[in-house]
Amino acid sequence: MDEALLRALTPSVLGILVRRGADFAAAEDAVQEALVEAVRVWPEDPPRDPQGWLVTVAWRRFLDATRADTARRRREDRVAEEPPPGPAPSVDDTLRLYFLCAHPSLTPASAVALTLRAVGGLTTRQIAQAYVVPEATMAQRISRAKRTVSGVRFDRPGDVSTVLRVLYLVFNEGYSGDVDLAAEAIRLTRQLAAVIDHPEVAGLLSLMLLHHARRAARTAPDGSLVPLAEQDRGRWDTTLIAEGIGILQAALARDRLGEFQAQAAVAALHADARSAEETDWVQIVEWYDELVRLTGSPVVRLNRAVAVGEADGPRAGLAELAVLDDSLPRYAAVAAYLHERDGDPETAAALYAEAALKAPNLAERDHLTRQAARLNTRGRR
């Protein structure tokens, strides 16, 4: 690979995109994506016209990004108001697109990544964070998915489990990330629940409603995060909580337990507690045991360590944590919390500072930095 050639061609390719009407920032992103593709493709298939190849690929990337941004703005306009309670009256094209992108020719993981990028409007970086993989790995996965479906007919929709996974990740990004898609995910899940009688669809809708009910209390007036234990429970939306619990109870009564129902059960136990001190942590640990059985997810095991620390004491939580991979997202933050509860503020402060450096968004980073500063200040007194 002639990296010098790529560097030499970059300014001219960028200039061509700008003259075609692309704004500079978008053109620069598109050119960078084209360069990454060139590094991957050229060693085995070098083009006869390198500049023309780069211009073509970069212009396609720019058009893809522009379409995704336009689609995202349209969705954000639609979710300016909070989602109303009750079943949705109809199914629109967005939900159909989710099913079509979950094509049988794709693996579930690739289908989810492609849908999040093409329909959900999330960036490759956001999707990579959700999957806990490097951004380059996710970029390759999305590229492979696009190549796989490029020559197939979209006349066989994918299965509901893949669509649920996409909706769950879109909701999580909207709930805690940079793009507000939480209400849109709820809207689509309501539509899905109206046309598909499936306990896991109900479980996901319940989980979303129970988390969304706490949204107003999650941030302070200055935008800083408020931990669950410190939230003003009077600001929680009791209508959404009642709806979410009702949907969950009906789903659990069918005795077909799935991952989303179990997660919703944990959320319901938090919502049902009148104060943080009254939280039934023993039951929460039991539901996390079910989640570990259903998923085997290391992230679930990490959350379970927190619950064990609350139910049986911080030493027990730290023991659960010790068997997990310390590279897991938010591992350092969990370790910091448990060490602080165990009476070791010095270790906790260092871990909070470490966690802040790895935080996936600005609000979480600021919160963890303040936690470290609080303990360091206390130690100097």
Side-chain angles (χ1 to χ4, degrees):
M1 168 57 59
D2 191 342
E3 294 183 4
L5 175 61
L6 287 177
R7 286 195 296 270
L9 289 174
T10 297
S12 60
V13 174
L14 184 58
I16 290 170
L17 264 64
V18 171
R19 288 195 295 275
R20 285 187 178 185
D23 68 84
F24 185 84
E28 192 173 33
D29 288 343
V31 172
Q32 288 301 316
E33 289 191 31
L35 293 175
V36 171
E37 187 71 1
V39 170
R40 188 185 68 82
V41 171
W42 286 11
E44 295 183 2
D45 186 20
R48 282 180 283 186
D49 178 8
Q51 178 172 297
W53 189 98
L54 287 171
V55 169
T56 299
V57 173
W59 185 249
R60 287 173 181 166
R61 295 292 192 275
F62 166 72
L63 292 178
D64 287 345
T66 301
R67 293 187 190 107
D69 287 342
T70 301
R72 181 166 59 244
R73 284 194 295 272
R74 286 200 300 268
R75 284 191 294 275
E76 288 173 349
D77 288 341
R78 289 201 301 269
V79 301
E81 297 181 355
E82 290 296 300
S90 62
V91 180
D92 66 14
D93 287 340
T94 304
L95 190 55
R96 291 192 181 96
L97 285 172
Y98 273 61
F99 272 96
L100 291 176
C101 285
H103 197 272
S105 62
L106 295 171
T107 64
S110 294
V112 171
L114 177 63
T115 312
L116 290 172
R117 186 72 181 93
V119 185
L122 303 186
T123 66
T124 302
R125 176 175 173 271
Q126 289 169 321
I127 301 168
Q129 288 176 343
Y131 267 92
V132 199
V133 299
E135 184 175 351
T137 300
M138 183 53 64
Q140 292 176 352
R141 184 178 299 176
I142 293 171
S143 295
R144 284 196 300 270
K146 288 179 178 178
R147 289 196 299 273
T148 299
V149 301
S150 61
V152 301
R153 288 173 55 86
F154 278 83
D155 54 0
R156 292 185 297 150
D159 65 8
V160 66
S161 62
T162 300
V163 174
L164 288 177
R165 178 63 50 189
V166 175
L167 289 168
Y168 174 66
L169 292 175
V170 169
F171 177 82
N172 280 345
E173 190 59 44
Y175 189 67
S176 62
D178 302 324
V179 183
D180 184 4
L181 292 172
E184 169 73 347
I186 291 174
R187 184 183 72 85
L188 293 172
T189 307
R190 285 193 187 282
Q191 289 187 353
L192 190 59
V195 297
I196 295 180
D197 182 21
H198 192 295
E200 274 294 82
V201 176
L204 178 59
L205 179 57
S206 171
L207 175 64
M208 289 179 174
L209 294 175
L210 290 167
H211 278 302
H212 209 62
R214 302 200 300 259
R215 182 168 187 169
R218 290 185 70 247
T219 54
D222 62 0
S224 59
L225 289 181
V226 180
L228 176 61
E230 300 171 20
Q231 288 176 15
D232 178 0
R233 298 181 181 222
R235 299 183 66 197
W236 290 2
D237 188 327
T238 54
T239 301
L240 285 183
I241 289 173
E243 184 185 6
I245 290 177
I247 292 170
L248 174 63
Q249 289 173 337
L252 291 175
R254 300 175 65 176
D255 198 24
R256 290 170 55 194
L257 184 65
E259 173 187 356
F260 295 121
Q261 294 169 73
Q263 287 193 54
V266 172
L269 287 167
H270 284 299
D272 197 45
R274 290 177 296 180
S275 66
E277 293 72 24
E278 295 178 62
T279 303
D280 190 342
W281 286 105
V282 173
Q283 272 205 69
I284 289 176
V285 171
E286 291 173 356
W287 279 112
Y288 273 124
D289 288 340
E290 291 290 344
L291 273 169
V292 170
R293 180 181 63 81
L294 288 165
T295 70
S297 165
V299 175
V300 169
R301 293 180 185 275
L302 184 67
N303 291 331
R304 182 183 179 278
V306 177
V308 169
E310 298 289 353
D312 300 328
R315 293 281 174 92
L318 287 168
E320 296 289 335
L321 196 64
V323 301
L324 300 179
D325 186 347
D326 62 8
S327 67
L328 281 170
R330 297 185 172 89
Y331 180 100
V334 170
Y337 174 74
L338 291 172
H339 275 289
E340 181 180 0
R341 287 201 58 228
D342 194 40
D344 186 358
E346 184 177 347
T347 299
L351 286 166
Y352 277 129
E354 177 187 338
L357 294 174
K358 301 175 181 177
N361 56 66
L362 182 61
E364 190 169 332
R365 187 190 71 189
D366 288 347
H367 170 72
L368 293 167
T369 300
R370 282 193 294 271
Q371 295 293 86
R374 172 179 58 82
L375 291 180
N376 284 326
T377 300
R378 182 188 301 174
R380 288 193 293 269
R381 289 175 182 171

